[in-house]
Amino acid sequence: MCGIVAAVSKINIIDALTNGLQRLEYRGYDSCGIAILNNNELLRLRTTNRINDLIEQSKPYISNIGIAHTRWATHGKPTTDNAHPHFSNNRIALVHNGIIENFELLREELTKKGYNFISQTDTEVMAHLIDYYYEQSNDLVSAVTKSAKELKGAYAIAVFSSDNPNLVVGARFGSPLVIGLGHNENFLVSDIMAISDRANKAIYLEEGDIVSITHNSYQIFDKAGNEIKREIKDVKSLNQNVDLGPYAHYMQKEIFEQPTAISDTLSCIDAQNMFSPEIFGQDAKEIFTKIDSILILACGTSYYSGCTAKYWLESVAGIPANVEIASEYRYRESVPNPNQLVIAVSQSGETADTLAALRHAKNLGHNYTLSICNASTSSMVQETKLTFLTKAGREIGVASTKAFTTQLVAFYILAHSLAVLKNKTIDKNAIQNLQHLPSAVQAVLALEPAIISWSETFAKKEHALFLGRGMYYPIALEGALKLKEITYIHAEAYPAGELKHGPLALVTEDMPVVTIAPNDALLEKLKSNIQEVQARGGEMYVFADANSQINNSQDLHVITLPENLGLLSPIVHVVALQLLAYHTAVARGTDVDKPRNLAKSVTVE
């Protein structure tokens, strides 16, 4: 969601700006733009088309300073006027990720001061506010510092002035911002991937940092204006594995990378101590012995991983677990429990709602915190006492796949680690099944041709129903989410036992019903649910385990998965659902990797 690329260099920087935006396309956007100095005057190029259009517009120009942005619309429609960068008095240019909550009040005050607004955005307020303070001091760092004290919300900005052709200033308040250090050029970016081909060092800014960069220097200040130091890290090559190779889309590539992602997540764990609390941090054993329950906070796909984990935590470890949608949790009156472990789950570690919920929980007195995350430098990792880092690698497709399955691996390890610590009896095959999981997923991927044949039927539908029982109900939810995200087919999921309590009214021959049918204690009850659908003319599509004795018929289509891995089988089944959603989207001709209206990293509420 929204990408920032800003640069100061000894040479022409325009290619670095536009190439950087292209590297951030996966985050999702509906407009883009750049601002540069041209003959000592601000020049702005913007479009509601793809970045290639911006590249064509920028070809005639040369500049050693500039800022660039991909926008995902919040305030105001995706129009050229609302696209970033925003100007003030033709001397201040600014790009912004996040949301300013008090923008309406500031807009009213700035209008009284004589500022004219040409956009509907909250961002233009920031540009005018900084210009107002810059007018007084002619010091851009000071102007940003003073403006930050008036702004409420979560944001990251990059700003420069036509008065100073060698200075970009940035600020990080709730949204990621990184300094990239190159040779005779420096950068400010929301994701270091944007300039990994030009920067060899990176500095991840912390909450409240304000920074200035020139082509050969940088300074970092705290909220009070005091200069501070931050750790400099090497930029490892991020170019590997970003090519599509033989795959048609990043989502397909990432689905097929899941055996490797799971293996990589497990590789950092000693097989003899796979269920050791120390995996989660040096203080984990002490904390785990004190907790009496678990609260999981997450959004979207990560929320469904938490819903699956609830079954494992309670059945394996015997610990009560509750799962809350992060955006709801922070706005309700909850009962804090200081002995509860709060787990925040996010692929990026920058999900605004989840971060806010985590901070809310800590403010309520929840001191035992754990993050399950795919980004070691993220805000979430920095703000929890314990951490489990998944090794999914970079996920570019907006619809999450390998991040989800590696989160489930983390939860499986957590449930068993807690069980061992509490002297609970666990399945003797638990470690063996976990080590075998990459092979089991690989076997599901081999079913792709059969799933493609289903997708051709699904592509002609506008509605679908997903059913699951027990720990497979969250997997049904995730399958429905994947289908709606990338195909735009309306899809819902229900516990199969709830079918006759309402959803059955929707069943017709035009409503395909997808059912997850593992060979477990609930299989016979699930077969009854299948018959309920068939009796009403519905068409069933069943992902079944071997020996489930569910056979193909005229209105009952069955794909048999290779094996049942017990508690890990939800991971095996979700891969099949991912493939169904992906190939249905391909058949419908949608933009699989960049579905409409969605963004990869949701850094605003």
Side-chain angles (χ1 to χ4, degrees):
M1 174 177 288
C2 298
I4 290 174
V5 184
V8 189
S9 178
K10 289 285 286 184
I11 62 174
N12 182 26
I13 206 66
I14 293 178
D15 284 348
L17 295 174
T18 54
N19 290 341
L21 290 187
Q22 283 188 313
R23 286 167 172 250
L24 299 182
E25 277 192 294
Y26 74 96
R27 296 167 69 95
Y29 68 103
D30 43 46
S31 61
C32 55
I34 64 172
I36 58 174
L37 273 185
N38 181 53
N39 296 324
N40 295 319
E41 294 183 355
L42 290 182
L43 173 70
R44 176 172 54 189
L45 306 171
R46 299 182 290 180
T47 180
T48 55
N49 296 321
R50 290 300 185 191
I51 291 164
N52 285 336
D53 183 30
L54 199 63
I55 291 173
E56 290 300 314
Q57 290 187 49
S58 65
K59 282 182 177 179
Y61 302 104
I62 295 174
S63 180
N64 75 306
I65 186 171
I67 55 177
H69 191 263
T70 51
R71 177 180 186 251
W72 186 83
T74 55
H75 296 73
K77 294 180 180 180
T79 64
T80 303
D81 282 345
N82 288 332
H84 298 213
H86 287 283
F87 284 2
S88 181
N89 279 334
N90 287 321
R91 64 180 171 189
I92 295 293
L94 178 141
V95 291
H96 160 227
N97 286 354
I99 285 180
I100 304 304
E101 296 175 357
N102 61 334
F103 83 100
E104 291 177 323
L105 177 61
L106 291 172
R107 185 182 180 116
E108 183 178 335
E109 293 175 351
L110 288 163
T111 299
K112 292 177 181 178
K113 289 181 169 68
Y115 285 94
N116 296 317
F117 288 82
I118 62 172
S119 79
Q120 300 168 298
T121 68
D122 54 342
T123 304
E124 192 177 10
V125 166
M126 303 175 78
H128 290 325
L129 185 63
I130 291 171
D131 181 80
Y132 173 74
Y133 285 116
Y134 185 71
E135 174 75 24
Q136 300 173 17
S137 64
N138 203 37
D139 183 331
L140 193 55
V141 172
S142 174
V144 170
T145 302
K146 290 179 180 178
S147 297
K149 294 177 181 178
E150 295 192 35
L151 297 168
K152 294 180 182 179
Y155 58 91
I157 63 169
V159 56
F160 77 100
S161 167
S162 59
D163 296 344
N164 193 331
N166 194 40
L167 179 72
V168 172
V169 175
R172 183 204 192 283
F173 288 85
S175 290
L177 196 64
V178 187
I179 303 173
L181 304 177
H183 178 65
N184 282 327
E185 57 187 16
N186 289 322
F187 303 86
L188 282 178
V189 292
S190 51
D191 187 333
I192 196 63
M193 178 186 179
I195 42 90
S196 61
D197 58 332
R198 300 186 68 136
N200 49 45
K201 301 286 184 182
I203 302 170
Y204 290 84
L205 298 177
E206 297 184 13
E207 184 69 9
D209 285 355
I210 293 172
V211 58
S212 66
I213 61 170
T214 68
H215 74 275
N216 61 0
S217 67
Y218 69 90
Q219 288 180 289
I220 305 173
F221 307 91
D222 63 18
K223 298 176 185 177
N226 302 310
E227 188 169 358
I228 51 177
K229 300 294 182 183
R230 297 292 184 214
E231 182 182 359
I232 300 175
K233 298 185 177 183
D234 290 328
V235 176
K236 297 178 181 178
S237 175
L238 296 174
N239 299 317
Q240 57 185 357
N241 296 327
V242 297
D243 293 329
L244 279 172
Y247 301 101
H249 300 91
Y250 282 108
M251 183 179 179
Q252 184 187 28
K253 179 174 184 282
E254 287 154 9
I255 290 172
F256 276 80
E257 285 175 342
Q258 286 176 114
T260 301
I262 292 169
S263 294
D264 289 347
T265 298
L266 297 175
S267 66
C268 58
I269 303 172
D270 184 346
Q272 301 303 315
N273 297 297
M274 190 164 280
F275 298 145
S276 170
E278 283 73 19
I279 293 168
F280 298 89
Q282 62 181 7
D283 298 327
K285 186 173 183 179
E286 179 185 356
I287 289 174
F288 287 172
T289 57
K290 295 177 180 179
I291 64 171
D292 61 13
S293 60
I294 290 174
L295 171 63
I296 300 170
L297 302 173
C299 299
T301 287
S302 295
Y303 171 72
Y304 295 143
S305 76
C307 291
T308 308
K310 174 182 170 69
Y311 289 89
W312 295 340
L313 291 164
E314 295 191 343
S315 65
V316 176
I319 297 178
N322 190 26
V323 191
E324 297 233 20
I325 296 173
S327 58
E328 293 292 323
Y329 167 75
R330 65 180 293 216
Y331 292 114
R332 72 174 185 84
E333 293 291 333
S334 58
V335 180
N337 175 5
N339 296 321
Q340 192 170 56
L341 175 65
V342 175
I343 304 176
V345 192
S346 167
Q347 187 278 139
S348 67
E350 303 292 350
T351 307
D353 287 318
T354 308
L355 272 173
L358 172 64
R359 291 163 184 163
H360 176 66
K362 291 167 70 174
N363 288 336
L364 291 176
H366 290 278
N367 294 319
Y368 304 143
T369 55
L370 164 67
S371 57
I372 294 177
C373 185
N374 194 41
S376 61
T377 58
S378 65
S379 300
M380 187 171 294
V381 169
Q382 307 304 317
E383 295 184 26
T384 55
K385 289 187 176 180
L386 306 177
T387 301
F388 187 102
L389 289 173
T390 58
K391 303 293 182 182
R394 187 165 294 275
E395 192 177 64
I396 292 176
V398 166
S400 181
T401 51
K402 59 181 180 174
F404 178 71
T405 49
T406 52
Q407 286 171 0
L408 290 178
V409 168
F411 274 123
Y412 181 87
I413 294 171
L414 175 63
H416 286 80
S417 298
L418 289 166
V420 169
L421 191 63
K422 295 178 180 295
N423 296 315
K424 300 281 186 181
T425 300
I426 63 173
D427 184 352
K428 62 180 180 180
N429 296 319
I431 291 179
Q432 180 182 344
N433 286 345
L434 191 55
Q435 292 173 324
H436 180 63
L437 181 60
S439 297
V441 170
Q442 192 68 54
V444 176
L445 295 173
L447 298 173
E448 187 177 32
I451 295 173
I452 290 174
S453 68
W454 281 12
S455 70
E456 293 168 355
T457 299
F458 272 75
K460 302 171 186 176
K461 307 296 184 180
E462 294 302 325
H463 306 277
L465 193 63
F466 287 69
L467 303 176
R469 296 198 77 124
M471 63 183 176
Y472 296 90
Y473 168 49
I475 300 304
L477 286 165
E478 173 62 10
L481 176 63
K482 284 292 154 285
L483 193 71
K484 72 181 74 171
E485 279 182 316
I486 61 173
T487 70
Y488 316 143
I489 293 172
H490 172 242
E492 299 295 339
Y494 286 89
E498 284 293 292
L499 188 63
K500 53 187 170 291
H501 294 290
L504 201 56
L506 298 173
V507 172
T508 68
E509 61 182 11
D510 293 321
M511 168 82 83
V513 180
V514 181
T515 305
I516 305 167
N519 192 3
D520 61 11
L522 293 173
L523 179 60
E524 293 306 316
K525 292 185 180 297
L526 189 65
K527 288 181 179 179
S528 297
N529 300 138
I530 292 172
Q531 291 173 355
E532 290 169 359
V533 173
Q534 288 182 288
R536 288 153 180 85
E539 192 125 354
M540 296 294 308
Y541 293 82
V542 181
F543 288 106
D545 282 347
N547 301 319
S548 64
Q549 297 182 343
I550 301 176
N551 300 313
N552 280 290
S553 63
Q554 183 176 355
D555 55 2
L556 178 60
H557 312 279
V558 182
I559 291 178
T560 302
L561 273 60
E563 55 189 314
N564 184 300
L565 278 186
L567 290 176
L568 285 168
S569 282
I571 299 177
V572 177
H573 278 270
V574 82
V575 174
L577 297 179
Q578 292 168 354
L579 285 171
L580 177 61
Y582 168 73
H583 284 291
T584 303
V586 171
R588 286 171 70 94
T590 62
D591 192 342
V592 175
D593 289 330
K594 298 185 284 291
R596 69 188 182 201
N597 302 334
L598 300 180
K600 181 63 180 173
S601 180
V602 183
T603 55
V604 298
E605 286 193 69

